[in-house]
Amino acid sequence: MVNYRFLKRILAVGEKDILSRLTFFSDMSIKNSEYLIEMLKNYQSDLNNYNSMIRDNEKASDEMDVNLRHDVTSGAISSNLMDNILLLIEKCDDIVDKTYYVSREIKRYILNHKFIDDEENIIKYTYGRFIDILNKNIEALNVVKSILNENDINAMKEHRKTIESIEEEVDNIKDSVIDFSYKSSNTVSYITFEHINTLAHKLDDMLDDCEDIADLVFTIMLSVTS
């Protein structure tokens, strides 16, 4: 739950409710990131099971997205905050959508592609790096939850810095994976090359969304405290 000791002085009931409910997306994204880690660790089995669980969470998040947007546009919040809060909802749901996209990409690749030469060792290495990114994503999502629950602007600034630092670490991992994929391009198929680079960019995008969410929450808080 959001800590209302600070927020209750500056936000109406509608805004407080929206901020509280936004943590749902963080929880779904964390669960799905954990499922993706298991998919990457155990890609030779349980793909359908994990993909199905991620899909169910994605559907639940879409339902929450629709409900929140209805509440926002039906007058639950003040008009000067509406655009930013709608964008905030979109960004929160977008991370969950990306986890489902990644799960489908892994499933399609593993179930339909036959490894050639040294491809499987290359996949094992890159999947290990993707697990590193997902662990960073979980770390960032927990900071996002802290921001949504924060009652102090200065502490919120520190949380933003933490997410920025995590995102920079993930950028470095992403770049190293892409460099590795190019160095290995002569020993892997085009499908494998594209698969590695697609996942690298999509997982990095999830961290970019975390950073955008932190910025939006901070902007919203500043707009109601100024």
Side-chain angles (χ1 to χ4, degrees):
M1 290 293 291
V2 171
N3 186 333
Y4 292 138
R5 186 172 57 184
F6 170 69
L7 297 182
K8 69 181 180 181
R9 302 200 308 267
I10 56 177
L11 299 176
V13 173
E15 284 95 0
K16 287 188 290 188
D17 178 61
I18 295 295
L19 286 174
S20 176
R21 291 158 68 189
L22 281 174
T23 59
F24 173 87
F25 295 104
S26 298
D27 289 333
M28 291 296 99
S29 296
I30 289 170
K31 287 181 181 179
N32 280 3
S33 293
E34 291 170 344
Y35 292 150
L36 285 174
I37 288 172
E38 293 304 314
M39 286 186 77
L40 293 168
K41 285 181 178 177
N42 307 290
Y43 61 85
Q44 293 177 331
S45 62
D46 291 332
L47 288 178
N48 288 321
N49 184 41
Y50 285 118
N51 181 258
S52 178
M53 291 189 291
I54 290 171
R55 181 191 62 209
D56 289 345
N57 286 341
E58 190 267 344
K59 287 182 177 179
S61 293
D62 283 346
E63 290 178 7
M64 176 64 83
D65 180 290
V66 171
N67 292 335
L68 284 170
R69 287 179 180 278
H70 175 267
D71 291 345
V72 168
T73 56
S74 62
I77 66 163
S78 57
S79 58
N80 64 313
L81 297 178
M82 185 177 295
D83 287 344
N84 278 336
I85 288 187
L86 287 173
L87 183 55
L88 181 58
I89 295 168
E90 178 183 341
K91 288 291 181 181
C92 288
D93 184 48
D94 192 46
I95 300 178
V96 187
D97 290 341
K98 285 183 171 73
T99 60
Y100 183 41
Y101 176 94
V102 170
S103 75
R104 287 183 297 170
E105 173 64 22
I106 295 169
K107 177 183 172 182
R108 287 190 182 118
Y109 173 78
I110 295 298
L111 294 182
N112 296 291
H113 180 69
K114 294 183 179 180
F115 292 121
I116 60 171
D117 299 328
D118 198 39
E119 271 191 336
E120 186 164 10
N121 288 330
I122 291 170
I123 284 296
K124 285 179 180 178
Y125 171 77
T126 55
Y127 277 13
R129 300 301 281 157
F130 294 151
I131 289 171
D132 293 338
I133 292 178
L134 285 163
N135 280 321
K136 290 295 180 182
N137 185 55
I138 291 170
E139 186 179 341
L141 286 164
N142 279 310
V143 180
V144 166
K145 290 179 67 176
S146 295
I147 289 176
L148 289 169
N149 287 285
E150 189 52 68
N151 64 346
D152 180 82
I153 289 292
N154 290 326
M156 193 176 291
K157 290 179 182 178
E158 294 304 312
H159 291 318
R160 284 176 68 210
K161 290 179 182 177
T162 299
I163 291 179
E164 289 171 5
S165 177
I166 295 171
E167 203 278 329
E168 288 174 3
E169 292 181 59
V170 168
D171 268 345
N172 290 334
I173 298 173
K174 177 201 69 176
D175 288 342
S176 71
V177 168
I178 293 173
D179 288 343
F180 176 76
S181 72
Y182 275 91
K183 290 176 182 176
S184 306
S185 60
N186 291 329
T187 57
V188 300
S189 65
Y190 176 75
I191 289 175
T192 296
F193 178 81
E194 279 296 302
H195 175 69
I196 291 170
N197 283 278
T198 295
L199 290 188
H201 285 292
K202 190 63 66 172
L203 292 171
D204 179 62
D205 287 345
M206 290 161 61
L207 272 294
D208 289 337
D209 281 343
C210 286
E211 194 170 11
D212 290 342
I213 290 167
D215 288 341
L216 277 167
V217 174
F218 189 72
T219 298
I220 291 167
M221 298 306 296
L222 286 179
S223 71
V224 296
T225 55
S226 59

